[in-house]
Coordinates of all heavy atoms in Angstrom, one line a residue:
G25 N -163.8 -71.4 46.8 CA -163.6 -70.4 45.7 C -162.2 -70.3 45.1 O -162.0 -69.4 44.2
G26 N -161.3 -71.1 45.5 CA -160.0 -71.1 44.8 C -159.1 -70.1 45.4 O -159.5 -69.3 46.2
A27 N -157.9 -70.1 44.8 CA -156.8 -69.2 45.3 C -157.1 -67.7 44.8 O -157.9 -67.5 43.9 CB -155.5 -69.6 44.7
Q28 N -156.5 -66.7 45.5 CA -156.6 -65.3 45.1 C -155.7 -65.0 43.9 O -154.6 -65.5 43.8 CB -156.2 -64.5 46.3 CG -156.4 -62.9 45.9 CD -156.1 -62.1 47.0 OE1 -156.9 -62.1 48.1 NE2 -155.1 -61.2 47.0
R29 N -156.3 -64.3 43.0 CA -155.6 -63.7 41.9 C -155.9 -62.2 41.9 O -156.9 -61.8 42.2 CB -156.1 -64.4 40.5 CG -155.9 -65.9 40.6 CD -156.8 -66.6 39.6 NE -156.4 -66.3 38.2 CZ -157.3 -66.0 37.2 NH1 -158.6 -66.2 37.4 NH2 -156.8 -65.7 36.0
D30 N -155.0 -61.5 41.3 CA -155.1 -60.0 41.3 C -155.1 -59.5 39.8 O -154.4 -59.9 39.0 CB -153.9 -59.3 42.0 CG -154.0 -59.7 43.5 OD1 -155.0 -59.8 44.1 OD2 -152.8 -59.8 44.0
W31 N -156.1 -58.5 39.6 CA -156.1 -57.9 38.3 C -156.8 -56.5 38.4 O -157.8 -56.4 39.0 CB -156.9 -58.8 37.3 CG -157.0 -58.1 35.9 CD1 -156.0 -58.2 34.9 CD2 -158.1 -57.3 35.4 NE1 -156.5 -57.5 33.9 CE2 -157.7 -56.9 34.1 CE3 -159.3 -56.9 36.0 CZ2 -158.6 -56.1 33.4 CZ3 -160.1 -56.1 35.2 CH2 -159.8 -55.7 33.9
N32 N -156.1 -55.5 37.8 CA -156.7 -54.1 37.7 C -157.1 -53.6 39.1 O -158.1 -52.9 39.2 CB -157.9 -54.2 36.7 CG -158.2 -52.8 36.3 OD1 -157.5 -51.8 36.3 ND2 -159.5 -52.6 35.9
G33 N -156.3 -53.8 40.1 CA -156.6 -53.2 41.4 C -157.6 -54.0 42.3 O -158.0 -53.6 43.3
I34 N -158.0 -55.1 41.8 CA -159.0 -56.0 42.4 C -158.5 -57.3 42.8 O -157.6 -57.9 42.0 CB -160.3 -56.2 41.6 CG1 -160.8 -54.9 41.1 CG2 -161.3 -56.9 42.3 CD1 -162.0 -55.0 40.1
H35 N -158.8 -57.9 43.9 CA -158.4 -59.3 44.3 C -159.6 -60.2 43.9 O -160.8 -59.8 44.2 CB -158.2 -59.4 45.8 CG -157.2 -58.3 46.3 ND1 -155.8 -58.3 45.8 CD2 -157.3 -57.4 47.2 CE1 -155.2 -57.2 46.4 NE2 -156.0 -56.7 47.3
Y36 N -159.3 -61.3 43.3 CA -160.3 -62.2 42.9 C -160.1 -63.6 43.4 O -159.0 -64.1 43.5 CB -160.4 -62.3 41.4 CG -160.9 -61.2 40.7 CD1 -160.1 -60.2 40.2 CD2 -162.3 -61.1 40.4 CE1 -160.6 -59.1 39.5 CE2 -162.8 -60.0 39.7 CZ -161.9 -59.0 39.2 OH -162.4 -57.9 38.5
K37 N -161.2 -64.3 43.9 CA -161.1 -65.7 44.1 C -161.1 -66.3 42.7 O -161.8 -65.8 41.8 CB -162.3 -66.2 44.8 CG -162.3 -65.9 46.3 CD -161.3 -66.8 47.0 CE -161.5 -66.9 48.5 NZ -160.6 -67.7 49.1
Q38 N -160.3 -67.4 42.4 CA -160.2 -67.8 41.1 C -161.5 -68.1 40.3 O -161.7 -67.7 39.2 CB -159.3 -69.1 41.0 CG -159.2 -69.7 39.7 CD -158.2 -70.9 39.7 OE1 -157.0 -70.7 39.9 NE2 -158.7 -72.1 39.6
G39 N -162.5 -68.6 41.0 CA -163.7 -68.8 40.3 C -163.7 -69.8 39.2 O -162.8 -70.6 39.1
M40 N -164.7 -69.7 38.3 CA -164.8 -70.7 37.2 C -164.8 -70.0 35.9 O -165.6 -69.0 35.8 CB -166.0 -71.6 37.4 CG -165.9 -72.5 38.7 SD -167.4 -73.5 38.7 CE -166.7 -74.8 39.7
F41 N -164.1 -70.5 34.9 CA -164.1 -69.9 33.5 C -163.5 -71.0 32.6 O -163.2 -72.1 33.0 CB -163.3 -68.6 33.5 CG -161.9 -68.7 33.8 CD1 -161.0 -68.3 32.9 CD2 -161.4 -69.0 35.0 CE1 -159.6 -68.3 33.1 CE2 -160.1 -69.1 35.4 CZ -159.1 -68.7 34.4
C42 N -163.4 -70.6 31.3 CA -163.0 -71.6 30.3 C -161.6 -72.3 30.6 O -161.5 -73.4 30.3 CB -163.0 -70.9 28.9 SG -161.7 -69.6 28.7
K43 N -160.7 -71.5 31.2 CA -159.4 -72.2 31.4 C -159.2 -73.1 32.5 O -158.2 -73.8 32.6 CB -158.3 -71.0 31.5 CG -158.2 -70.2 30.2 CD -157.3 -69.1 30.4 CE -157.2 -68.2 29.1 NZ -156.5 -67.0 29.2
N44 N -160.2 -73.1 33.4 CA -160.0 -74.1 34.5 C -161.1 -75.2 34.5 O -161.0 -76.3 35.1 CB -159.8 -73.5 35.9 CG -161.0 -72.7 36.3 OD1 -162.0 -72.5 35.7 ND2 -160.9 -72.1 37.5
V45 N -162.4 -74.8 34.1 CA -163.5 -75.8 34.0 C -164.1 -76.0 32.7 O -165.0 -76.8 32.6 CB -164.6 -75.5 35.1 CG1 -164.0 -75.5 36.5 CG2 -165.2 -74.2 34.8
G46 N -163.6 -75.2 31.7 CA -164.1 -75.5 30.3 C -165.4 -74.8 30.0 O -166.1 -75.3 29.0
T47 N -165.8 -73.8 30.7 CA -167.0 -73.1 30.3 C -167.0 -72.6 28.9 O -165.9 -72.3 28.4 CB -167.4 -71.9 31.3 OG1 -166.3 -71.0 31.2 CG2 -167.5 -72.4 32.7
T48 N -168.1 -72.4 28.3 CA -168.2 -71.9 26.9 C -168.8 -70.6 26.8 O -168.7 -70.0 25.7 CB -168.9 -73.0 26.0 OG1 -170.2 -73.2 26.5 CG2 -168.1 -74.3 26.0
G49 N -169.6 -70.2 27.8 CA -170.4 -68.9 27.6 C -170.5 -68.1 28.8 O -171.2 -67.1 28.8
L50 N -169.8 -68.5 29.9 CA -169.9 -67.7 31.2 C -168.7 -67.9 32.0 O -167.9 -68.8 31.9 CB -171.2 -68.0 31.9 CG -171.3 -69.4 32.5 CD1 -171.1 -69.4 33.9 CD2 -172.7 -70.0 32.0
S51 N -168.5 -66.9 33.0 CA -167.5 -67.1 34.0 C -168.0 -66.3 35.2 O -168.9 -65.5 35.2 CB -166.2 -66.4 33.5 OG -166.3 -65.0 33.3
A52 N -167.5 -66.8 36.4 CA -167.9 -66.2 37.7 C -166.8 -66.3 38.7 O -166.0 -67.2 38.7 CB -169.2 -66.9 38.2
N53 N -166.8 -65.2 39.6 CA -165.8 -65.3 40.7 C -166.3 -64.3 41.7 O -167.3 -63.6 41.6 CB -164.4 -65.1 40.2 CG -164.2 -63.8 39.4 OD1 -164.9 -62.8 39.6 ND2 -163.2 -63.7 38.5

Side-chain angles (χ1 to χ4, degrees):
Q28 179 174 296
R29 301 161 65 218
D30 298 323
W31 180 82
N32 194 25
I34 306 174
H35 307 302
Y36 288 92
K37 287 287 201 175
Q38 180 172 286
M40 295 182 157
F41 65 117
C42 63
K43 294 177 184 171
N44 66 356
V45 297
T47 61
T48 59
L50 63 108
S51 62
N53 55 27

